[in-house]
Structures are given as structure tokens and as C-alpha cells.
Amino acid sequence: MSRHTKRLTVPRSWPLERKTAKWAMKIPPGPYRKEYSMPLAMVLRDLLKLCDTAREARLIVGSGSVLVDNSIVREPKFPVGIMSSISIPSMGLNKIMLVDRRCKLSLAEIDAQNAQTKLCKIEEKTSIKKGKTQLNLHDGRCIVHEIDEGDKVGDTLKIELPGQKIVKRYPLKEGSFALVTGGKHVGQVSKIVGVSKGGFSSPPVVSFEGFSTIKKHVLVVGDLAPEVPI
């Protein structure tokens, strides 16, 4: 199996010039869909412009100076997805991965304190043995509760990194702020004005001020105000 892919076939969400080079890194299987993540080395080279070649990017990553979600990463192809933070302490650099209005992955500036936490959407909720509850998050993380804390699929947890301690909960409800991650209004952060449960053949719909979208394209990012740069 090839370890690379042609640039013409990479997801349209990757902000790459298609015809300046032939090859791009192939993102390995992991927690994120490839449309919502990029290899770390390509983020350093093509988004942050910290180097000119993939070889230089590999050297930077291999040096252990790059943190993703407050943990040192030495794998150049490590997937950096939506809501992931990238930090290089020696440079005072702290960024968060978002998606813009053109449906392109983009980086925004955050402070060092925000780089130590992460907003994670609950994708699945399962009851397991001994009365415990397992929450599967959008970035592949798994959190197990001794008792059911009342979290629902679609809610967002603010967790402390790398220990995964839950700092705050943001429910998917009227009045919360959310980032739209897909559809016509992708990249927009707006206040929720209503949530419908949907029906047998129709998905749940979340309404905002002036538009609406399906629930799977909504990621709650705050209650009184957004916790991401807008």
C-alpha cells in the first residue's frame, strides 16, 4: 500500500496548491475523517510555513518540540483534526485547528492556557458493565463515568489535557454557541435558537439565527460566548 497520495486526490478541505507538486502525505487511519484532519508535518510546512520541505518538517517533529493537544508527538503523519491544538513552546506558538467559510481547514491563534484544554463533541454514549457509562468523543477519545452524568450525544465536553479531566460541559440547547462543521454554512459560529428531534426518515435539525443545519454538522463551542476564535 502506498504511503503517499497524489495532491489532486486529497480532500478539498486541505488548503494545498494542487499543481505545484505531485505528491502529498497520506494520512493514516485514525480517529478523524480525512476531510477533517491533516498530517502534522504538512500542517507545519503548508499552514504554519515553518519549513520548506517535508524532510525539514520531519526533523522538526522528530525533535520533540511540537505538542498536539498538549502531548509531544514525533510521528510526522499524526492527524491534526478540528479542535486540536498545536503548540511549540520554544517559539511561544499556540494554534487551534478550525474550518473556515470556504470549507478549508485553518489555524487560529489561541493562548497557552487554552492549548491545555480541548472541546470534544460526544459522538456516542453507551452503557457498559457495572453500571458505568462510556462516552466516545469526536477525536477518538473515550471517557468512562462511574455513574450517568446526564451527558447527551451532541453535547460538548471541555477536557483538560492530557489527563482528560472534564472541566466544563456545554449542552446542545437553545442559547448555546456552536461551530458549523459542514453544509452550506460551514465555518460559521452562531447562537442556537432551537433543536428539533427529527423523525423516522429525517435527521435532527439545529436552528440558528437565519439558518438551520443537521445535528451532525454542529459542534457546541460555548454557552455565554464562543470559546474559539471567530
Side-chain angles (χ1 to χ4, degrees), residues 82-83 98-99 101 119 121 154-156 170-182 185-195 206-209 211 213-230:
I82 291 180
M83 291 299 159
L98 298 173
V99 59
R101 295 301 306 275
L119 299 178
K121 179 181 178 180
D155 292 350
T156 294
Y170 298 117
L172 178 65
K173 66 176 185 178
E174 181 180 350
S176 296
F177 285 85
L179 168 69
V180 180
T181 59
H185 298 276
V186 62
Q188 189 165 336
V189 177
S190 187
K191 181 184 288 188
I192 298 173
V193 297
V195 181
V206 180
S207 299
F208 295 89
E209 298 172 343
F211 68 95
T213 189
I214 56 177
K215 180 180 176 181
K216 74 173 186 178
H217 289 163
V218 175
L219 196 159
V220 182
V221 294
D223 47 11
L224 301 179
E227 290 209 12
V228 295
I230 58 175

Side-chain angles (χ1 to χ4, degrees), residues 1 46 68 92 122 131-132 140 155 168 180 191 204 217 222:
M1 183 179 293
D46 299 296
V68 178
I122 301 175
K132 297 181 180 180
D155 292 350
K168 199 169 183 179
V180 180
K191 181 184 288 188
H217 289 163

Side-chain angles (χ1 to χ4, degrees), residues 29-208:
Y32 295 100
R33 290 172 53 189
K34 62 181 180 180
E35 293 84 1
Y36 293 120
S37 62
M38 282 184 67
L40 176 57
M42 294 185 67
V43 173
L44 297 179
R45 183 190 64 186
D46 299 296
L47 271 65
L48 291 173
K49 309 293 184 182
L50 296 180
C51 53
D52 297 322
T53 65
R55 182 176 182 275
E56 292 173 350
R58 292 189 187 97
L59 291 174
I60 295 173
V61 176
S63 70
S65 60
V66 182
L67 282 70
V68 178
D69 291 337
N70 208 31
S71 296
I72 294 175
V73 173
R74 298 179 186 272
E75 170 53 55
K77 295 183 179 181
F78 186 86
V80 180
I82 291 180
M83 291 299 159
S84 293
S85 63
I86 300 177
S87 302
I88 304 180
S90 61
M91 297 178 59
L93 183 147
N94 296 284
K95 301 281 187 177
I96 185 172
M97 181 71 83
L98 298 173
V99 59
D100 63 21
R101 295 301 306 275
R102 299 177 301 144
C103 200
K104 300 288 187 182
L105 295 173
S106 62
L107 295 174
E109 188 78 28
I110 56 174
D111 57 35
Q113 183 176 359
N114 285 333
Q116 297 176 11
T117 60
K118 185 176 185 179
L119 299 178
C120 295
K121 179 181 178 180
I122 301 175
E123 296 282 1
E124 294 180 348
K125 179 179 178 180
T126 308
S127 296
I128 56 177
K129 294 180 179 179
K130 299 182 180 180
K132 297 181 180 180
T133 302
Q134 176 177 306
L135 303 178
N136 297 327
L137 308 183
H138 84 278
D139 64 346
R141 298 175 190 271
C142 172
I143 295 179
V144 176
H145 287 313
E146 296 294 333
I147 59 175
D148 190 343
E149 299 287 346
D151 301 305
K152 299 179 180 178
V153 173
D155 292 350
T156 294
L157 302 178
K158 183 178 182 180
I159 63 174
E160 189 178 69
L161 299 171
Q164 297 191 174
K165 176 184 177 182
I166 298 176
V167 178
K168 199 169 183 179
R169 292 175 167 83
Y170 298 117
L172 178 65
K173 66 176 185 178
E174 181 180 350
S176 296
F177 285 85
L179 168 69
V180 180
T181 59
K184 183 178 179 180
H185 298 276
V186 62
Q188 189 165 336
V189 177
S190 187
K191 181 184 288 188
I192 298 173
V193 297
V195 181
S196 68
K197 295 183 179 179
F200 178 75
S201 59
S202 59
V205 173
V206 180
S207 299
F208 295 89

